[in-house]
Amino acid sequence: MAVDAQALWARLKTDSAGLVAAVVQHHRSGEVLMVGHMNAEALARTLERGRVTFWSRSRDQLWEKGESSGHTLALRGMWVDCDGDALLVQAEPQGPTCHTGAPSCFFTPVLGPPAAPSPALERVFAEIIARKAGLGITSASGKSYVRGLMDGGVPAIAAKLHEEAGELAEALAGDDRGHIAREAADLLFHAMVGLAHRGLDLADVTEVLAARLGRSGVDEKAARGK
């Protein structure tokens, strides 16, 4: 359904510069990616072209996110807050959103735990934990794949990780995006089984990743001495 940009803008309450804040959220994971500002023209262009466009306060001009880098934000939804002075823009990022190369501009911790992993990963990990405890859905024979893998211990899990990593490497050599995604999912799944077997949580991994955001990968690796 088409949205009347002029009618929508008339509902909004702008700041002294004639702008409204636009919070950009990943439309699937819910992760907050960035915050920008829109004027009437930026809003109209966003709705018309389906690519998130802002008004750059520093350059005093329209700015389509990713117009030079290619890391655009494809519009997937939009909401107005209760006061009418801010927009929640749901988008599909085409690459990292932050100019540092991070997926989100919000990677500097101040207070609280690291950002939660994807809800889908959380649900899969919860299922793995349930299998470890002998709970949840099993096959018609009453057997659990995860339970059987964990019964084999680290050697069995490590063997599957080697196998799945090899299959992902082979898939990457081709151009079948679906095949690559499936093999990556298999590798992630078995990595999560390994974490659960050793009593770790997804948050243990995201905490490490969060600490590395905003740093050169070369410098980070050199600091570890590996």
Side-chain angles (χ1 to χ4, degrees):
M1 181 179 67
V3 177
D4 187 330
Q6 288 185 331
L8 174 57
W9 185 256
R11 293 170 49 195
L12 301 178
K13 299 175 184 177
T14 63
D15 62 16
S16 59
L19 305 173
V20 294
V23 180
V24 182
Q25 176 188 46
H26 195 298
H27 80 113
R28 286 180 299 185
S29 71
E31 181 181 18
V32 176
L33 301 175
M34 66 172 291
V35 177
H37 292 81
M38 291 186 181
N39 61 5
E41 188 176 359
L43 176 62
R45 187 169 295 191
T46 296
L47 292 170
E48 176 187 353
R49 300 185 179 182
R51 296 188 299 274
V52 181
T53 302
F54 302 100
W55 179 260
S56 172
R57 296 178 297 175
S58 60
R59 292 177 288 174
D60 201 31
Q61 65 183 38
L62 285 175
W63 165 50
E64 180 183 310
K65 179 69 179 71
E67 59 189 351
S68 57
S69 67
H71 300 155
T72 57
L73 294 167
L75 181 66
R76 294 290 183 265
M78 185 178 291
W79 301 77
V80 180
D81 83 333
C82 59
D83 294 321
D85 58 2
L87 295 169
L88 174 63
V89 180
Q90 296 179 326
E92 176 76 31
Q94 308 301 308
T97 297
C98 185
H99 72 282
T100 64
S104 165
C105 293
F106 294 91
F107 56 78
T108 304
V110 176
L111 181 66
S118 156
L121 291 181
E122 288 278 20
R123 291 196 295 270
V124 172
F125 193 76
E127 292 286 342
I128 291 172
I129 294 297
R131 300 301 180 275
K132 180 180 180 181
L135 305 173
I137 301 171
T138 60
S139 67
S141 63
K143 296 180 179 179
S144 163
Y145 174 77
V146 171
R147 182 65 262 172
L149 198 57
M150 287 189 175
D151 286 345
V154 171
I157 297 171
K160 283 301 295 183
L161 284 170
H162 283 297
E163 176 187 334
E164 299 299 347
E167 291 178 357
L168 175 57
E170 292 178 3
L172 288 170
D175 57 4
D176 186 334
R177 292 169 59 87
H179 185 202
I180 294 171
R182 290 190 296 273
E183 295 300 342
D186 288 345
L187 181 57
L188 284 172
F189 175 82
H190 287 89
M192 288 192 287
V193 171
L195 290 173
H197 181 69
R198 283 302 195 186
L200 278 78
D201 192 87
L202 288 178
D204 294 308
V205 179
T206 55
E207 184 174 358
V208 174
L209 292 174
R212 293 177 181 174
L213 286 172
R215 297 183 62 189
S216 160
V218 174
D219 293 343
E220 194 280 329
K221 188 172 183 180
R224 284 187 284 152
K226 296 180 180 180

